């Protein structure tokens, strides 16, 4: 079985999709897929599907959804495959689980690559870190579970995955800036700061990439637009790190031209106290 959650939900056995068309069974499959080899308690599944307003028939309906998933799984597995659908989508005391290895789900491959990339970055292996993080981010095919109606449990999971994706993007860009790839990053950073208009880390990276590309005025304009937005919408000034980065650009601080230095830090913390 191969399952994708980093984009539209996709689950296949022998090339045959086992993703149901109905919304609630899709939610159950998605939630089980995010916990491979681990029991998801019945109350958690019910909360995801119905929230706190459980219908009287919720337990029986949940069991029906599980049977539907097993039926699709059994058809895909075929009669000649060892084991059974009930062995793969198993019942345990108090809940259900998918008996599949974690690496069968794309988010777990993604998290392994991110962990390896982070370790490489912290060890000073910028090229290796950038490559690993690029490979991890390439597994994303859109917003996580974009075609699944998410309830309160999946909503938290989707937020966690999307935040992890953003952090991985930042760390990969940090590594590539340290490798002197600032020109190549300009288009991507322009898109990212448009999508995340209050994110100081991404703005600091855009400023540094522009400055190192000989576009000091554009780098300073990125800062001023962010400052106006933060003051106007939140009533706060940019962080001390970003203010010091701005001042360093005005002063043509030679440290800004160093693609890689001894400190293993993020671009945002170049001028941390």
């Amino acid at each position: 079985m191969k399952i994708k959650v980093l984009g539209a939900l996709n689950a296949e056995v022998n090339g045959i999709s086992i993703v149901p068309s109905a919304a609630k069974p899709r939610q159950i499959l998605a939630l089980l897929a995010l916990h491979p080899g681990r029991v998801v308690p019945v109350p958690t599944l019910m909360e995801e599907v119905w929230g706190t307003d459980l219908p009287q028939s919720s337990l029986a309906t949940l069991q029906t959804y599980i049977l539907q998933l097993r039926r699709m799984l059994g058809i895909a597995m075929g009669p000649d495959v060892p084991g059974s659908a009930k062995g793969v989508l198993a019942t345990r005391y108090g809940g259900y689980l998918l008996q599949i290895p974690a690496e069968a789900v794309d988010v777990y491959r993604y998290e392994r690559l991110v962990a390896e990339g982070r370790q490489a970055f912290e060890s000073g292996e910028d090229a290796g870190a950038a490559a690993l993080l690029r490979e991890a981010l390439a597994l994303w095919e859109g917003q996580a579970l974009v075609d699944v109606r998410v309830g309160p449990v999946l909503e938290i999971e989707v937020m966690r995955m999307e935040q992890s994706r953003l952090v991985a993007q930042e760390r990969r860009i940090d590594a590539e800036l340290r490798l002197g790839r600032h020109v190549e990053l300009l288009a991507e950073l322009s898109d990212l700061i448009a999508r995340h208009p209050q994110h100081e880390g991404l703005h600091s990276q855009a400023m540094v990439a522009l400055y190192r590309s000989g576009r000091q005025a554009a780098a300073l304009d990125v800062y001023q637009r962010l400052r106006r937005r933060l003051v106007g919408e939140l009533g706060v000034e940019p962080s001390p790190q970003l203010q010091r980065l701005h001042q360093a650009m005005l002063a043509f601080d030679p440290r800004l031209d160093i693609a890689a230095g001894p400190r293993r830090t993020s671009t945002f913390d170049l001028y941390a106290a």
Side-chain angles (χ1 to χ4, degrees):
M1 183 185 295
K2 296 292 183 182
I3 300 180
K4 295 181 179 180
V5 298
L6 302 179
L9 177 63
N10 181 283
E12 292 185 352
V13 176
N14 298 325
I16 300 172
S17 175
I18 61 165
V19 178
S21 57
K24 290 176 181 177
R26 288 169 79 90
Q27 286 176 273
I28 292 168
L29 177 60
L31 190 51
L32 291 169
L34 288 174
H35 300 85
R38 290 180 285 164
V39 175
V40 180
V42 165
T44 301
L45 291 164
M46 288 182 170
E47 181 186 1
E48 167 58 28
V49 174
W50 292 288
T52 56
D53 188 19
L54 298 180
Q56 272 193 331
S57 60
S58 56
L59 180 58
T61 304
L62 175 63
Q63 291 170 340
T64 299
Y65 293 153
I66 294 293
L67 288 174
Q68 290 173 2
L69 291 171
R70 282 180 178 151
R71 190 176 301 117
M72 296 183 72
L73 182 57
I75 293 170
M77 291 173 67
D80 301 325
V81 176
S84 65
K86 195 169 183 179
V88 177
L89 177 44
T91 303
R92 292 291 183 269
Y93 180 77
Y96 300 94
L97 78 157
L98 277 176
Q99 294 271 40
I100 58 174
E103 287 274 318
V105 186
D106 59 355
V107 69
Y108 286 89
R109 298 196 300 278
Y110 159 79
E111 289 177 349
R112 174 179 55 79
L113 289 165
V114 167
E116 292 173 1
R118 184 171 58 247
Q119 184 176 10
F121 182 87
E122 292 170 356
S123 300
E125 302 168 15
D126 293 314
L132 284 164
L133 291 169
R134 274 195 177 277
E135 184 180 353
L137 291 163
L139 293 172
W140 285 77
E141 299 177 354
Q143 181 182 331
L145 296 175
V146 66
D147 60 344
V148 176
R149 184 187 69 184
V150 299
V153 182
L154 280 178
E155 182 178 24
I156 293 171
E157 296 286 354
V158 167
M159 289 175 59
R160 178 187 63 79
M161 289 187 284
E162 292 289 347
Q163 181 61 31
S164 171
R165 181 188 192 183
L166 187 57
V167 171
Q169 285 176 309
E170 282 188 85
R171 184 60 71 244
R172 195 212 86 234
I173 292 169
D174 281 334
E176 298 208 10
L177 283 172
R178 294 176 66 84
L179 291 165
R181 299 172 182 169
H182 35 272
V183 174
E184 295 93 325
L185 291 168
L186 290 176
E188 179 183 6
L189 282 166
S190 178
D191 177 68
L192 284 170
I193 62 174
R195 292 173 182 271
H196 305 279
Q198 296 178 353
H199 195 295
E200 292 195 350
L202 294 173
H203 281 74
S204 72
Q205 292 175 326
M207 289 169 64
V208 168
L210 286 163
Y211 183 90
R212 290 179 181 166
S213 301
R215 299 174 60 185
Q216 182 203 26
L220 296 173
D221 183 60
V222 168
Y223 174 83
Q224 292 298 342
R225 284 187 283 116
L226 173 63
R227 181 181 179 275
R228 287 194 295 269
R229 191 175 296 113
L230 292 176
V231 171
E233 297 177 6
L234 302 177
V236 297
E237 292 283 346
S239 65
Q241 292 102 307
L242 206 58
Q243 292 185 45
R244 284 191 286 267
L245 176 61
H246 176 244
Q247 290 300 317
M249 289 183 174
L250 290 172
F252 296 98
D253 188 331
R255 286 181 293 173
L256 286 169
D257 297 320
I258 300 173
R263 289 184 65 191
R264 308 306 308 161
T265 187
S266 68
T267 306
F268 181 61
D269 286 331
L270 278 173
Y271 289 88

